[in-house]
Amino acid sequence: MYIYVGNMWAQTWSNVLDLVQPYNKTSVDVTPSMKAKGYNAMKMFNISEEFFTSLGLKKMPAKFWEKSLITKPANRSVVCHASAWDFYNQADFRIKMCTVVNMEDLITVHHEMGHVQYYLQYKDLPVGFRRGANPGFHEAVGDVLALSASTPSHLKEIGLLDNADEDYEAQINYMLSMALDKIAFLPFGYLMDMWRWSVFTGETTPDKYNDKWWQLRRCLQGISEPLNRMKDPGDFDPGSKYHIPANTPYIRYFVSFVLQFQLHEALCNVAKQAGPLHKCDIYRSKEAGKKLGDMLKLGSSRPWPEALEQVANTRKLSASSLIKYFDPLIKWLREQNKGEAVGWDDEDGCPRPPNTSSATSFTIPSLFGFLTVCTIVSIYL
């Protein structure tokens, strides 16, 4: 059978959680609770700001609330892709987002407010240094906090989850939900710029744009298009992803999905959090907030390895924290996959599009296998 994974680009797979969640436990998706409690966009932004201020980090300035666009306007068309903006006058910082009341957008709000927090922390530096230590740092900041904010214990503390199951089965459910977001993204985050670079070097010519796109999608993500997209030379599926026509480099997101776990572990240690890394919540830890804030204040005034060292006591990007976070799930997946072929089994190593003689069925076991493969591959970053 064929499974349509994740969102429109299959960059995250959380939308198939209900198909693959192994145990019947309380759902970690708090969207129904948010709607029942009357959440709106402003409430979601307030919740996110309160997490930052609980760490001793800066509040959003009044102009932020006055100038930001956080809901889709009814009387005009806007680009709804969420983004944060620094107007480089040390006072005007904004977010543009067509916020929807659901858990996915609650996490996105934390991500975008992470950008603004970075702006606020380095705003007094010379203009040339008002950037992240590297682009991946800027993308990681809000996601570091979201790793805490999305834990069942935190969601219970802020009143969005009535019962936070703590047993082994509930933890496997939770880690699988996170893996469908964080691990499934890694090959997509990598292939986006692999495609762009191949275009820039001339390796991929305009008549092969779509072929190259789906070759990378099949070989790195293990997915195929829902119908054959190789026939019409006018097809241009890469253009459906905002960052391609906007010419926004994407490797920053790949880096950030590794870096956020490295920073998360370091801040959990500062916060003296004991127990498994996937259960850590740095909420209200002023010590962790100071450590993070001191790094953010550097902007790009120091080389990024120095900024990383200030928090993580190492100058090297490493996937070891990501592996540590998902270690219980990796072990569970290996057990579940005994006797299963892990990966994709087409003769050239890549699934083929449907309606061809070598079409590949994408089954639930191979989905679990894919997550294991991606996790293991990330060790070599």
Side-chain angles (χ1 to χ4, degrees):
M1 69 175 179
Y2 288 97
I3 297 175
Y4 295 86
V5 288
N7 64 8
M8 188 164 78
W9 308 277
Q11 70 183 65
T12 60
W13 295 9
S14 52
N15 287 352
V16 300
L17 178 61
D18 60 332
L19 297 177
V20 300
Q21 180 170 288
Y23 301 113
N24 185 22
K25 295 287 181 177
T26 302
S27 174
V28 292
D29 182 357
V30 296
T31 299
S33 177
M34 293 170 66
K35 292 179 177 178
K37 294 179 182 296
Y39 269 57
N40 56 22
M42 183 59 72
K43 175 69 172 175
M44 293 163 68
F45 274 78
N46 288 338
I47 285 284
S48 178
E49 181 189 40
E50 197 274 329
F51 198 116
F52 283 91
T53 58
S54 82
L55 302 178
L57 297 172
K58 294 180 181 290
K59 295 181 63 175
M60 297 295 107
K63 188 170 285 191
F64 169 84
W65 299 109
E66 177 188 347
K67 298 290 188 179
S68 290
L69 187 156
I70 63 174
T71 57
K72 186 176 182 178
N75 58 350
R76 60 190 174 95
S77 177
V78 297
V79 176
C80 277
H81 184 83
S83 56
W85 299 82
D86 180 358
F87 285 79
Y88 289 92
N89 61 6
Q90 301 177 293
D92 194 352
F93 313 97
R94 310 180 195 179
I95 286 175
K96 176 184 63 63
M97 179 176 174
C98 302
T99 313
V100 177
V101 178
N102 58 38
M103 186 172 179
E104 181 180 358
D105 271 18
L106 181 62
I107 300 304
T108 301
V109 169
H110 282 77
H111 175 89
E112 298 302 333
M113 291 192 85
H115 286 300
V116 178
Q117 185 65 219
Y118 218 154
Y119 301 153
L120 290 169
Q121 294 289 343
Y122 61 53
K123 67 181 178 64
D124 295 323
L125 291 175
V127 170
F129 294 141
R130 293 183 207 170
R131 296 177 297 175
N134 71 35
F137 276 69
H138 232 303
E139 301 301 335
V141 174
D143 286 351
V144 171
L145 271 63
L147 288 173
S148 291
S150 60
T151 59
S153 59
H154 182 82
L155 294 172
K156 182 180 180 181
E157 183 167 355
I158 63 174
L160 285 176
L161 199 61
D162 292 332
N163 297 301
D165 294 330
E166 297 290 340
D167 61 28
Y168 174 75
E169 292 183 351
Q171 291 183 53
I172 291 297
N173 279 358
Y174 172 66
M175 280 185 285
L176 181 59
S177 73
M178 294 296 289
L180 289 169
D181 181 10
K182 302 296 185 179
I183 299 298
F185 176 84
L186 289 172
F188 180 83
Y190 186 47
L191 73 83
M192 280 279 289
D193 270 3
M194 286 188 71
W195 183 88
R196 292 175 70 252
W197 296 333
S198 75
V199 169
F200 294 158
T201 62
E203 173 194 343
T204 299
T205 55
D207 61 312
K208 297 295 183 183
Y209 281 172
N210 225 40
D211 289 2
K212 181 67 173 181
W213 175 254
W214 281 108
Q215 178 196 16
L216 291 169
R217 301 269 272 163
R218 291 194 303 269
C219 291
L220 295 181
Q221 282 191 281
I223 65 172
S224 66
E225 55 273 51
L227 52 84
N228 197 321
R229 300 290 286 166
M230 306 300 176
K231 295 178 180 178
D232 186 347
D235 289 341
F236 183 57
D237 295 330
S240 70
K241 181 62 181 170
Y242 170 85
H243 301 74
I244 296 294
N247 195 31
T248 302
Y250 212 76
I251 199 69
R252 64 185 65 181
Y253 299 100
F254 178 80
V255 169
S256 77
F257 269 58
V258 177
L259 176 63
Q260 64 188 252
F261 288 94
Q262 197 169 1
L263 296 177
H264 179 60
E265 181 176 16
L267 294 175
C268 288
N269 291 335
V270 172
K272 297 180 171 55
Q273 288 274 315
L277 188 56
H278 65 271
K279 297 176 71 173
C280 169
D281 178 10
I282 64 171
Y283 185 52
R284 294 177 179 158
S285 171
K286 296 295 193 295
E287 296 80 7
K290 184 179 188 310
K291 179 73 76 170
L292 178 61
D294 287 346
M295 183 196 79
L296 301 182
K297 287 183 176 72
L298 295 175
S300 61
S301 65
R302 306 301 305 162
W304 72 261
E306 291 186 23
L308 177 62
E309 185 177 29
Q310 189 156 319
V311 173
N313 297 319
T314 179
R315 297 170 63 90
K316 293 186 177 181
L317 185 67
S318 169
S320 60
S321 297
L322 183 151
I323 299 300
K324 182 177 181 179
Y325 183 98
F326 287 109
D327 184 63
L329 178 64
I330 295 170
K331 292 175 179 175
W332 182 86
L333 286 169
R334 285 174 176 158
E335 184 65 29
Q336 296 298 310
N337 275 304
K338 282 185 177 178
E340 296 285 351
V342 176
W344 15 107
D345 56 5
D346 193 77
E347 59 186 23
D348 65 357
C350 310
R352 307 307 303 171
N355 303 319
T356 65
S357 59
S358 58
T360 301
S361 295
F362 200 54
T363 63
I364 294 296
S366 68
L367 171 60
F368 288 144
F370 169 64
L371 292 175
T372 305
V373 169
C374 285
T375 307
I376 294 170
V377 167
S378 69
I379 295 173
Y380 299 102
L381 290 171

